[in-house]
Amino acid sequence: MKKISSEVQLYETDRTFPFRTFQSYYAATANHWHTEIEFIYLQDNSMQIYINNEMYRLQAGDIMIAAPGDIHGNVASDHHRIVVQFELDILETLYFTGDEIRTIRNKLETLERVSLFWPENVRQDMAAILGRLYNIRSDGRTGIGYKIQIQSLLFQLMEICWNHIPQSQVQTEKAKLLQNKKVLDNLEKVFNLVRDRYMDDLHPKDAAALLGVTPNHFIKYWRKYSNISFHAYLNEYRVSQAIALLYNSDDLISGIAFKVGFKSLKTFNRVFKSVTGVSPCSYRKQLRQ
């Protein structure tokens, strides 16, 4: 049985050939960022995603792009999605220089991130390529032919991004704000704090102490770069960990609640339902159907 993982990882792909694709079902993903570009293709139903402090509801067939450094995540719901991630460096060749890769990276920061704002033919072309990338998953393949096949499709993705996806002034400004290295370093510290200590009694003052600022300053800082409060983010992360335990273990729901940091079963049930729309018991049944 495949396990669900909701760890915040800044490096998602293998360094030797930095590309991967997979299908995800139901799982929530807490706010995070990574160095790769990521494409999410929703296959059925709907999902709520957030990217750079903007929230969107995608329907079946919609696509989201997370450029390197974008802060993004999604709320758990009944859906399947295809995820494609790769480092832009994978495109570098003798005739395609590092400077040009950086130009592509800068261009990606200016684009509309979701297909709700793209021409329909562009969305269809992108969906077809993402489907092909998923269908030729490596299963351990590392040969030249496999790499050529993958890279040719990735170049097609980049051609669509470069020539056909509209630009967004709002996303351009948000990306510039978030690409500040100090901001990303600070956010990474807070993400890691939550990842490592989500089961503890964490408060904004703990994150503030980590960054060397006052609690009030941290609250304003977090609000500026995130779309939810620190408390809400912490609880969503706890719920994502609870989902993994609901799927991968036979632990009692009460035990899972305390294991992921909730102080009472009542609070856990209330927060879990507010995030997923169903109770923990119903969610476990749906996962195992």
Side-chain angles (χ1 to χ4, degrees), residues 199-245:
M199 69 294 296
D200 298 336
D201 190 21
L202 277 181
H203 296 279
K205 65 180 182 180
D206 300 303
L210 181 67
L211 301 184
V213 298
T214 66
N216 284 339
H217 180 86
F218 170 75
I219 290 171
K220 293 178 182 178
Y221 185 88
W222 180 262
R223 276 289 190 184
K224 182 177 181 179
Y225 296 109
S226 177
N227 65 306
I228 55 177
S229 70
F230 177 77
H231 182 69
Y233 173 72
L234 173 61
N235 278 341
E236 286 195 7
Y237 190 87
R238 286 168 171 165
V239 167
S240 72
Q241 299 303 307
I243 287 171
L245 292 173

Side-chain angles (χ1 to χ4, degrees), residues 26-230:
Y26 253 102
T29 305
N31 262 352
H32 67 291
W33 67 274
H34 39 72
T35 63
E36 296 92 345
I37 181 173
E38 178 177 308
F39 294 82
I40 294 177
Y41 173 34
L42 183 61
Q43 295 176 283
D44 53 32
N45 298 330
S46 64
M47 67 182 292
Q48 188 169 306
I49 58 98
Y50 35 93
I51 181 164
N52 295 342
N53 202 29
E54 295 290 333
M55 189 76 86
Y56 303 96
R57 178 165 292 279
L58 304 186
Q59 303 296 329
D62 283 332
I63 298 167
M64 183 196 83
I65 300 175
D70 280 347
I71 296 176
H72 59 287
N74 70 275
V75 177
S77 65
D78 182 9
H79 71 270
H80 292 82
R81 64 183 185 268
I82 289 175
V83 181
V84 172
Q85 298 170 331
F86 61 95
E87 287 279 6
L88 289 172
D89 291 347
I90 201 173
L91 304 175
E92 190 169 346
T93 67
L94 180 62
Y95 303 105
F96 209 72
T97 66
D99 285 342
E100 289 173 319
I101 296 296
R102 284 186 284 275
T103 300
I104 292 174
R105 189 184 304 272
N106 293 336
K107 173 85 169 185
L108 291 170
E109 294 173 4
T110 71
L111 303 182
E112 288 284 7
R113 299 299 200 272
V114 293
S115 60
L116 304 173
F117 308 107
W118 306 349
E120 176 59 17
N121 65 307
V122 172
R123 186 201 63 77
Q124 291 178 358
D125 290 346
M126 180 79 78
I129 296 171
L130 294 174
R132 289 182 63 189
L133 283 166
Y134 175 73
N135 289 330
I136 57 171
R137 298 182 303 285
S138 69
D139 295 325
R141 295 163 58 193
T142 57
I144 292 175
Y146 167 72
K147 291 181 179 180
I148 290 174
Q149 190 176 20
I150 293 297
Q151 284 181 300
S152 68
L153 291 170
L154 296 185
F155 273 111
Q156 291 179 52
L157 280 183
M158 289 298 95
E159 188 277 328
I160 292 174
C161 289
W162 187 270
N163 289 320
H164 305 293
I165 292 181
Q167 293 188 319
S168 165
Q169 185 63 34
V170 171
Q171 287 293 351
T172 300
E173 293 174 357
K174 287 181 178 292
K176 287 181 179 178
L177 190 65
L178 290 168
Q179 287 301 326
N180 180 288
K181 188 177 186 301
K182 185 176 180 180
V183 171
L184 291 178
D185 286 346
N186 283 339
L187 292 174
E188 179 186 350
K189 289 177 183 177
V190 179
F191 292 154
N192 288 339
L193 174 70
V194 172
R195 181 194 64 193
D196 295 338
R197 294 183 53 199
Y198 66 90
M199 69 294 296
D200 298 336
D201 190 21
L202 277 181
H203 296 279
K205 65 180 182 180
D206 300 303
L210 181 67
L211 301 184
V213 298
T214 66
N216 284 339
H217 180 86
F218 170 75
I219 290 171
K220 293 178 182 178
Y221 185 88
W222 180 262
R223 276 289 190 184
K224 182 177 181 179
Y225 296 109
S226 177
N227 65 306
I228 55 177
S229 70
F230 177 77

